[in-house]
Each structure stands twice: as structure tokens, then as C-alpha cells.
Amino acid sequence: MLDAYPDKFPDKRTEQKRSFDEVFAQLDVPLVCVCGNHDVGNAPTIETISRYRDEFGDDWFSFVCGGVLFICLNSQYFHDGTHVLSSGINAEYGWSGLKGI
């Protein structure tokens, strides 16, 4: 969604977030945000995950639209979860949120 990496260019990212909010506030349709490496970094940290969640919401979730189940995952945990695996912010959070689907 945003181009500037949160851990490398925080000031530029803040400006991009402001522009994102202005543009997408005008939408008349639901917007589903799914994070990627530019949102949480190639190797996410507790800080980048927390910032993403504060700004955009959960990084793991599911929903049904038109009879179709959508499962949205934060794949960066699988790319490099080194900084978050022992923090409680990890892939298990996502899987527990999807139980019962």
C-alpha cells in the first residue's frame, strides 16, 4: 500500500500514509488492506507490525464476500520471522484467528 519501508524511511512513509488516507477516504466501496514487505519490512519487527496494526488493522484476517471465503495472511512472517518469532507476534496469532473457518 505504501512504498517507503517503515524501518528505513519513516518520515517519507508518514507522508505517504497521509496521502493514502486522503485518497482512499473518498472511496464509496469497502477497502481491504493486506500488508506486504513495504508495510512491515522484509524482516518484520515488533515495532513495524505494531505500527501496521495501529494504522491499518489486523495483518491476519478472513471474511466472506459474495459467498467466497477470503483468507488474508501476513506472508512476511514466513519470509523472515526472525525478529518476531519469540515475541508472541507471529504466525500462530494468525492461525488462531482462523480457527473454526
Side-chain angles (χ1 to χ4, degrees):
M1 292 173 296
L2 307 179
D3 185 53
Y5 283 90
D7 51 345
K8 295 182 181 177
F9 308 104
D11 294 336
K12 185 174 182 179
R13 187 183 186 285
T14 298
E15 180 55 36
Q16 289 175 350
K17 174 67 167 88
R18 195 175 2 255
S19 295
F20 175 92
D21 289 343
E22 288 174 17
V23 169
F24 287 99
Q26 300 172 37
L27 281 183
D28 255 354
V29 296
L31 173 67
V32 177
C33 296
V34 181
C35 71
N37 64 319
H38 285 258
D39 301 303
V40 296
N42 285 323
T45 65
I46 295 170
E47 293 78 20
T48 62
I49 296 296
S50 294
R51 182 174 180 178
Y52 177 86
R53 289 178 181 174
D54 288 345
E55 293 178 340
F56 295 103
D58 289 338
D59 58 330
W60 287 77
F61 56 93
S62 62
F63 63 96
V64 175
C65 182
V68 177
L69 172 65
F70 293 85
I71 300 173
C72 303
L73 308 174
N74 181 348
S75 61
Q76 290 310 113
Y77 292 131
F78 302 107
H79 177 73
D80 184 350
T82 306
H83 304 297
V84 293
L85 287 176
S86 63
S87 69
I89 295 179
N90 60 41
E92 291 304 313
Y93 166 82
W95 296 126
S96 67
L98 299 174
K99 286 183 181 169
I101 292 179

